[in-house]
Amino acid sequence: SVSDSVSVTVGFLAGVNPTSPATVTPASPSSADTIAFTLQNVGNGTDTAIVAIPAPGGGLTITGYVFNGTNYTSVANLNAALATYTLASGATAVIKVVYDVGNGAGGSTIPVSLTQTSKRSPTTSATATTNVQPPGTRAVAVTPKNATVTQLPSNGTPYTYTFTVANNGNSSDTYNLAASIGGTPAGAVTIVSVNGVAGTTGTATIASGGSTTITVGYTVAFGVAAGTSDKIVFTATSQAVGTVTD
């Protein structure tokens, strides 16, 4: 009989599988927050990883990376370290992305992504993404409080008084504005406009940390006795959280 044989060599098939939490919820503002990205070699042989981590924007700033207990200030330096780290088939490595969240990011969703690429097979890559979702906080302040003014009868011509509305929350907000006569009306004052629009209500959108001035127009009735007093009450209420008001 005649026989022969052939040697079969299994070739390298690259595979990568980066993972990370679906969402994280740091405060806005906050600093030195971290996201752990796990790199995994799911190929059938040893490999090294190359990563890409784009700047996320949206009020979030990446300040560094931690790998094997060492801090790196750039992706280039991180990749230089990864180039000397061999991942066996099935093995993993963890990279922590360190970041700060600025003020005004509350209520937003900011994706942070890491792409892992096989060094042995550069066309093999995959991406993991974590959504950073700082909780929104709402706060509003109206000034001045308990001010007093003295006016003569206006004979139908409006006077104006200016209030300042400040958004002290960590996200942009729209406020419902309302001007009214507080207590028991004496008939001296009538509200005629809010910020130049006829009526007693309005709205204002204010960025986090910002403020705006609102002018309330009113008339003082003719024939009302000197010393008569009415109180103008001005209120701003968050549209997002109706219990936030001042």
Side-chain angles (χ1 to χ4, degrees):
S1 63
V2 178
S3 64
D4 205 347
S5 64
V6 60
S7 296
V8 178
T9 301
V10 178
F12 174 70
L13 180 64
V16 296
N17 181 38
T19 57
S20 65
T23 60
V24 292
T25 56
S28 169
S30 61
S31 60
D33 302 303
T34 62
I35 302 171
F37 287 87
T38 299
L39 311 181
Q40 185 177 24
N41 173 15
V42 294
N44 65 351
T46 60
D47 202 353
T48 54
I50 301 169
V51 298
I53 306 171
L60 188 154
T61 304
I62 293 176
T63 59
Y65 313 89
V66 180
F67 172 61
N68 261 2
T70 301
N71 296 310
Y72 299 94
T73 58
S74 69
V75 174
N77 290 340
L78 174 63
N79 275 320
L82 288 171
T84 65
Y85 189 85
T86 300
L87 286 170
S89 176
T92 60
V94 175
I95 293 172
K96 290 184 178 179
V97 174
V98 186
Y99 64 96
D100 296 341
V101 180
N103 193 25
S108 61
T109 297
I110 309 166
V112 177
S113 298
L114 177 150
T115 298
Q116 176 186 352
T117 299
S118 163
K119 185 175 183 180
R120 292 181 64 180
S121 177
T123 59
T124 302
S125 63
T127 300
T129 299
T130 293
N131 287 321
V132 179
Q133 298 177 328
T137 58
R138 310 288 174 171
V140 63
V142 174
T143 55
K145 301 185 186 301
N146 302 317
T148 60
V149 292
T150 300
Q151 302 284 23
L152 294 173
S154 58
N155 199 25
T157 301
Y159 293 108
T160 59
Y161 191 80
T162 299
F163 295 88
T164 298
V165 180
N167 178 358
N168 294 330
N170 69 357
S171 59
S172 177
D173 207 346
T174 298
Y175 299 97
N176 292 328
L177 312 174
S180 61
I181 304 301
T184 302
V189 174
T190 300
I191 306 296
V192 296
S193 66
V194 174
N195 238 23
V197 179
T200 60
T201 61
T203 60
T205 299
I206 308 174
S208 170
S211 64
T212 190
T213 54
I214 305 295
T215 301
V216 174
Y218 64 97
T219 58
V220 177
F222 190 76
V224 175
T228 302
S229 177
D230 268 340
K231 179 186 289 186
I232 297 174
V233 177
F234 178 76
T235 303
T237 303
S238 166
Q239 288 188 355
V241 181
T243 57
V244 175
T245 186
D246 193 35

